Amino acid sequence: MKLLQNNGPLFAFAGMLIGTTISTDALGQTDRILEEIVVTAAYREQGLQDVPVSISMVTGEKITESALQKAEDIQFLVPNFTLTETGIGTNAFIRGIGSGINQAFEQSVGTYVDGVYFGRAQQWRAPYLDLERIEVLRGPQSILFGKNSVAGAVNITTAKPGDEFEASLFASQEMEFNETIVEGILSGPISDRFRARLAARSRDGDGHMRNATLNNDEPNREDWNVRATLEFDVTENLLATFKAEMGEFDVRGRNIEVINELPIAAGPFAGLQYNQVLQIFGGDPSTGNVVKDGIRSSNGDFSNNELNNFVLTLDWDIGEYQFKSITALSEFDYDEFCDCDYTGTNLFGAALQESYDQFSQEFRLASPVGGTIDYIVGLYYQTSDHDYADQIIVTADSALVPIVNALNPGAGDLLAGTQAARAANVDADVLSAFAQVNFNITDKLTIQAGGRVTQDDRDGDRTMVITADDGSSLPAPQAGSPIVYGGLFGITSTNLSALADLGVPEAIGLTAALGELPVNGSRDTTKFSPEVKLIFDSNDNVMLYASWSEGFKSGSFDFRANNRNFYPTMEDSFEFDDEEASNIEFGGKFILGNGSAELNAALYFTEFDDLQISIFDGVLGFNVGNAASAEVQGAELDFRWAMTDRLTVYGGLAYTDFEFTDFRNGQCYFGRPPDVDIDNDGTPELCDYTGESNQLVSKWQGNVTFDYSRPVFSSLRFGMAVDYFFTSKYDASATFDPALVQNAYGSMNYRLSLGSDSGSWQLAFLARNITDNKILSFGGDTPLASTLGAKSNYAFFGQGRSYTVQGLLRF
């Protein structure tokens, strides 16, 4: 109701616009024709209106003009797609389905760049460079895009060399947060058969939050990336394309604030808020800032990321058949430090390192179209080596030492200058074969059927050891620190098991409760993912489709749990199962007004079983498991309309109804009493979230863009674009904490430009988020606060209003 109250005029306008769009009488008297949008969502170049799937597309030009830096920015142009960065992970959702925070997860939303799969969450953070387009496909895409696209797929196409010389220089300066971007492109033929394109980009920005502890602005971002693309006509029928890309994207600081603190109800610190307890023990005064005001307290964070990608693509025309080979090597590494108590008090830090190497080979064969039967068949192989490590560090001068001593004399001294060091690895091999066949029953009716069979083999292991904070063995006086880590933080370790083997009673009890390390496991699964579509081309302007599909996302091994949770053994907790989806969808694509307007609509119903989840345990860990089941249903609209010769309007609207139909193993937020005795020991440990929606799911989302352009004077062109995005409320925490709900909001951007009519130069002014909303994108219980019985939340807030000047030169 609040959404309707706050955005009633917008809904009225959207209804009027859509109603007018679908009225051919209203749009019939025009010669305006929309330029066709070409996509590769079906592995062939097709018009967007010819692809039977719910899809949104953003052009490379729009990405540059709107100062979109990475995938997180795209969500404001694509309803039903949500992405947010967290302290130690990234969440991407389509239609309410996504993967939680665990480096072991492959993403439910698959990302593909020039046909190459990028499965790690951190790769979502890579900056954009010289893109041709981004396609967002909603719903399971299990045949052509593979096993790990049960929620949808993001298909990214980079710009390629052309037959004509092209050179450009783009620069922008954001004034509010001092962000500078410079991008250069050089492209063209080197000989009759050889073409090349070189693109480079750098970015430097101060950030939109003030760190009162360190007296600097955060998050400060420094990016650079370079891509070289070479095309060679080997023969008249064989094209070889080689792409090499490398870059770094580094961040100093986070956009986290601590909020919602309440006095402790009982114990030695009763009546005090969490920040007040920390200041008693020497916490920085900035720790006392626990309101949303764009000011945070922290002792410092960083994230240093490096990527290298090498891709060789062969396109071979064999008569009327098209054969494609894609050979790719991807390398991704990062080194992070998270001040993960999220306060300016020195409590503990978390260092994280991840290295991922992937080699893949894909072969595709596409038959000619136009006959009774046409098809695409292919083989795919991928092998990867994934290493992960982190360290939970308690320095000698940590305020945690006297705090723990106050609760348990001497225990804090055992923690001083120590760390809990975790290491995990997964080696995986994937082999799959896929086929999609079109049976053209008549000129108007097509049955599309296909499937992908996938064999997924993987081996994993994980361990954790308590050491001195420099990585050396524990000093003899601190041999008992694994017991403190186990009792206070729920962290098991190899040296806790060693103490249990020596007969130490506390260690024996903790090992029995928390489980033993190291742990390892193997998985060998084979799955078949089918899909059937009925496509009806009523006429040249109307295409209707109905589809049924099944898909899955691979299970694997948990990297980040600190204990066995509620599972009977550590081996049981270490492995999580495949996530499975079944989807029914009805859609239509309509060309209206003699080509001046397009309307695309979809209705869907999806059932998910064994949904993979990762939830913060309220202390220092994340527990991974499979929620039993969930159902999602909804509707989506996308439209474009050349309203006049100078004004084009486009946008979308999405309704999503998500419900966990069986979710009894949810982590409770602080203050909510557990109501599920999952292990039948007589004590409830978890919370039942059956009937709840998922995190980051809005009932309603939509966007509309007005794009206006006209010539002025004799050789100039004036342009204006206005973007508006709106969303209903959503839960920003995975535990559905009512204190962490983002209410409905709307956000508006506008851009004014003036340039030459030939496009050789342009100057522009861009204002983003002029409604100045600092949006809550993610949150949870502040680490360690619940250990003291304190209510405290951390929250990620987005950037407010900003102003940017842009300049473009084409040579």
Side-chain angles (χ1 to χ4, degrees):
M1 184 61 68
K2 181 180 289 187
L3 180 65
L4 294 175
Q5 293 171 348
N6 292 347
N7 297 294
L10 179 65
F11 274 86
F13 172 77
M16 179 187 68
L17 180 62
I18 293 171
T20 305
T21 302
I22 63 177
S23 170
T24 55
D25 290 337
L27 299 177
Q29 306 303 317
T30 179
D31 295 326
R32 296 185 299 275
I33 303 295
L34 285 169
E35 183 178 352
E36 183 181 36
I37 294 177
V38 177
V39 297
T40 55
Y43 274 15
R44 306 178 191 263
E45 287 196 350
Q46 293 177 281
L48 180 66
Q49 298 305 106
D50 299 322
V51 181
V53 66
S54 179
I55 179 174
S56 292
M57 195 275 290
V58 182
T59 66
E61 183 180 19
K62 180 66 174 178
I63 290 168
T64 299
E65 290 179 350
S66 300
L68 307 180
Q69 306 302 324
K70 53 190 187 320
E72 189 175 20
D73 299 328
I74 294 297
Q75 61 188 312
F76 301 108
L77 295 174
V78 180
N80 244 357
F81 170 59
T82 302
L83 188 141
T84 184
E85 295 182 11
T86 72
I88 54 175
T90 303
N91 292 329
F93 289 75
I94 290 179
R95 291 180 175 175
I97 295 296
S99 298
I101 301 172
N102 194 292
Q103 280 75 5
F105 280 152
E106 295 185 74
Q107 297 300 293
S108 298
V109 178
T111 304
Y112 303 83
V113 180
D114 293 330
V116 179
Y117 174 60
F118 286 178
R120 311 320 314 166
Q122 197 87 348
Q123 289 172 306
W124 283 98
R125 302 187 182 189
Y128 287 153
L129 169 65
D130 192 26
L131 301 185
E132 183 177 316
R133 64 182 177 271
I134 297 177
E135 304 161 21
V136 179
L137 292 75
R138 306 180 186 95
Q141 309 295 324
S142 301
I143 298 180
L144 299 183
F145 285 97
K147 63 187 178 64
N148 288 329
S149 302
V150 291
V154 177
N155 185 32
I156 299 174
T157 302
T158 63
K160 301 298 187 293
D163 293 324
E164 297 182 0
F165 175 77
E166 175 188 350
S168 65
L169 179 64
F170 173 83
S172 74
Q173 178 65 48
E174 196 285 318
M175 295 171 283
E176 189 73 14
F177 309 111
N178 192 30
E179 179 179 79
T180 303
I181 298 173
V182 178
E183 181 174 322
I185 297 168
L186 184 64
S187 177
I190 297 176
S191 69
D192 290 343
R193 299 169 60 185
F194 189 44
R195 297 167 298 280
R197 188 178 185 94
L198 179 66
R201 175 186 182 276
S202 70
R203 174 193 182 196
D204 189 352
D206 288 346
H208 63 276
M209 280 194 175
R210 188 69 182 169
N211 186 331
T213 311
L214 301 179
N215 194 31
N216 57 23
D217 294 326
E218 299 180 348
N220 171 267
R221 298 182 184 272
E222 294 182 5
D223 306 339
W224 70 265
N225 48 330
V226 178
R227 180 191 307 125
T229 306
L230 309 176
E231 285 188 348
F232 179 60
D233 297 321
V234 183
T235 70
E236 289 184 356
N237 299 321
L238 178 60
L239 172 65
T241 304
F242 178 72
K243 181 182 73 173
E245 181 174 17
M246 60 189 63
E248 295 180 2
F249 47 104
D250 302 334
V251 182
R252 297 291 181 272
R254 313 264 185 189
N255 52 315
I256 304 172
E257 295 188 63
V258 173
I259 58 174
N260 299 333
E261 293 206 346
L262 297 175
I264 299 171
F269 305 117
L272 297 177
Q273 293 180 352
Y274 180 53
N275 75 89
Q276 293 170 328
V277 176
L278 297 181
Q279 291 182 75
I280 289 174
F281 292 94
D284 190 272
S286 63
T287 304
N289 186 329
V290 290
V291 296
K292 176 186 175 182
D293 58 2
I295 301 174
R296 69 176 303 226
S297 66
S298 171
N299 292 297
D301 315 76
F302 66 80
S303 176
N304 297 328
N305 303 262
E306 181 177 339
L307 59 85
N308 298 284
N309 300 310
F310 305 94
V311 183
L312 174 64
T313 303
L314 301 177
D315 291 286
W316 189 13
D317 292 331
I318 308 173
E320 294 183 311
Y321 290 81
Q322 295 178 331
F323 177 81
K324 182 182 286 285
S325 168
I326 303 175
T327 307
L329 175 64
S330 300
E331 300 172 343
F332 177 72
D333 300 273
Y334 71 76
D335 179 21
E336 288 192 352
F337 183 83
C338 173
D339 185 18
C340 274
D341 57 73
Y342 301 140
T343 75
T345 299
N346 176 18
L347 293 173
F348 75 95
L352 305 90
Q353 306 86 39
E354 186 173 3
S355 175
Y356 182 77
D357 297 325
Q358 172 184 298
F359 172 82
S360 63
Q361 175 65 60
E362 183 169 3
F363 298 111
R364 306 177 200 159
L365 179 66
S367 73
V369 297
T372 303
I373 296 177
D374 63 79
Y375 56 83
I376 296 174
V377 297
L379 293 172
Y380 179 77
Y381 172 72
Q382 174 187 308
T383 184
S384 60
D385 181 12
H386 188 192
D387 294 310
Y388 173 77
D390 66 40
Q391 303 84 41
I392 301 171
I393 305 166
V394 182
T395 60
D397 59 348
S398 165
L400 195 58
V401 174
I403 291 174
V404 173
N405 278 335
L407 297 172
N408 185 359
D413 296 332
L414 295 176
L415 291 177
T418 66
Q419 67 178 15
R422 183 193 338 259
N425 170 262
V426 167
D427 294 327
D429 291 290
V430 177
L431 180 64
S432 64
F434 58 91
Q436 185 181 81
V437 183
N438 289 322
F439 299 93
N440 301 305
I441 309 302
T442 70
D443 291 341
K444 295 184 176 182
L445 181 63
T446 298
I447 295 177
Q448 186 181 91
R452 179 184 285 253
V453 60
T454 301
Q455 182 181 18
D456 188 308
D457 298 337
R458 58 186 63 206
D459 300 301
D461 59 78
R462 188 185 81 221
T463 191
M464 180 174 278
V465 60
I466 310 302
T467 71
D469 59 4
D470 62 0
S472 62
S473 299
L474 285 171
Q478 292 182 297
S481 63
I483 295 174
V484 181
Y485 273 95
L488 189 63
F489 305 135
I491 293 176
T492 190
S493 59
T494 55
N495 32 8
L496 181 66
S497 299
L499 291 174
D501 292 340
L502 293 174
V504 179
E506 297 93 332
I508 294 173
L510 286 169
T511 299
L514 302 176
E516 295 190 68
L517 291 172
V519 62
N520 57 72
S522 296
R523 290 178 55 86
D524 183 355
T525 59
T526 301
K527 289 288 182 71
F528 177 66
S529 302
E531 182 180 70
V532 178
K533 288 183 180 178
L534 185 66
I535 305 167
F536 180 62
D537 290 302
S538 176
N539 54 53
D540 291 340
N541 297 324
V542 177
M543 186 263 282
L544 305 174
Y545 68 91
S547 68
W548 167 81
S549 62
E550 290 186 346
F552 81 101
K553 184 173 74 128
S554 295
S556 192
F557 303 102
D558 179 11
F559 279 1
R560 289 201 47 82
N562 288 332
N563 51 62
R564 65 177 175 85
N565 200 6
F566 56 80
Y567 294 94
T569 68
M570 185 65 80
E571 288 73 17
D572 292 322
S573 74
F574 182 49
E575 182 176 348
F576 54 89
D577 291 331
D578 297 336
E579 180 176 294
E580 299 182 344
S582 177
N583 183 68
I584 298 173
E585 185 166 319
F586 301 93
K589 303 206 169 183
F590 310 92
I591 298 175
L592 308 166
N594 292 334
S596 66
E598 296 171 353
L599 176 67
N600 304 326
L603 299 171
Y604 64 90
F605 175 79
T606 312
E607 290 185 322
F608 285 89
D609 291 318
D610 295 325
L611 192 65
Q612 295 170 5
I613 57 171
S614 174
I615 298 179
F616 180 56
D617 65 7
V619 188
L620 293 179
F622 285 83
N623 294 324
V624 170
N626 294 85
S629 59
E631 293 180 352
V632 193
Q633 57 189 339
E636 294 154 347
L637 291 174
D638 290 276
F639 65 89
R640 288 198 302 155
W641 180 14
M643 187 177 290
T644 72
D645 292 335
R646 297 169 179 170
L647 176 63
T648 301
V649 184
Y650 56 91
L653 180 68
Y655 170 77
T656 307
D657 181 13
F658 185 107
E659 180 181 356
F660 285 113
T661 53
D662 186 2
F663 185 10
R664 300 185 67 252
N665 57 332
Q667 192 69 41
C668 305
Y669 61 84
F670 181 81
R672 173 166 176 168
D675 54 11
V676 177
D677 180 11
I678 199 76
D679 56 5
N680 297 313
D681 66 352
T683 302
E685 305 91 358
L686 300 172
C687 281
D688 186 354
Y689 293 129
T690 301
E692 297 277 0
S693 182
N694 203 1
Q695 68 178 113
L696 303 178
V697 175
S698 305
K699 281 279 188 182
W700 291 95
Q701 276 193 351
N703 73 293
V704 61
T705 294
F706 296 85
D707 198 338
Y708 179 80
S709 177
R710 64 167 297 163
V712 294
F713 305 114
S714 59
S715 60
L716 300 180
R717 177 163 293 273
F718 169 76
M720 179 176 68
V722 179
D723 302 320
Y724 186 78
F725 169 83
F726 63 92
T727 181
S728 59
K729 70 176 182 179
Y730 57 82
D731 285 293
S733 74
T735 56
F736 314 107
D737 189 337
L740 292 170
V741 172
Q742 172 59 55
N743 290 323
Y745 71 90
S747 178
M748 181 178 290
N749 307 329
Y750 68 82
R751 184 178 189 266
L752 304 175
S753 64
L754 182 67
S756 68
D757 204 32
S758 65
S760 61
W761 65 269
Q762 185 184 85
L763 293 174
F765 174 76
L766 174 66
R768 299 184 66 190
N769 190 15
I770 61 175
T771 47
D772 201 29
N773 293 302
K774 281 85 169 179
I775 304 306
L776 171 61
S777 60
F778 189 80
D781 290 327
T782 304
L784 296 182
S786 61
T787 304
L788 302 181
K791 170 65 176 178
S792 177
N793 292 129
Y794 71 91
F796 285 75
F797 290 108
Q799 181 174 287
R801 185 186 299 115
S802 65
Y803 303 101
T804 301
V805 177
Q806 300 174 329
L808 172 66
L809 286 175
R810 290 191 175 98
F811 304 95

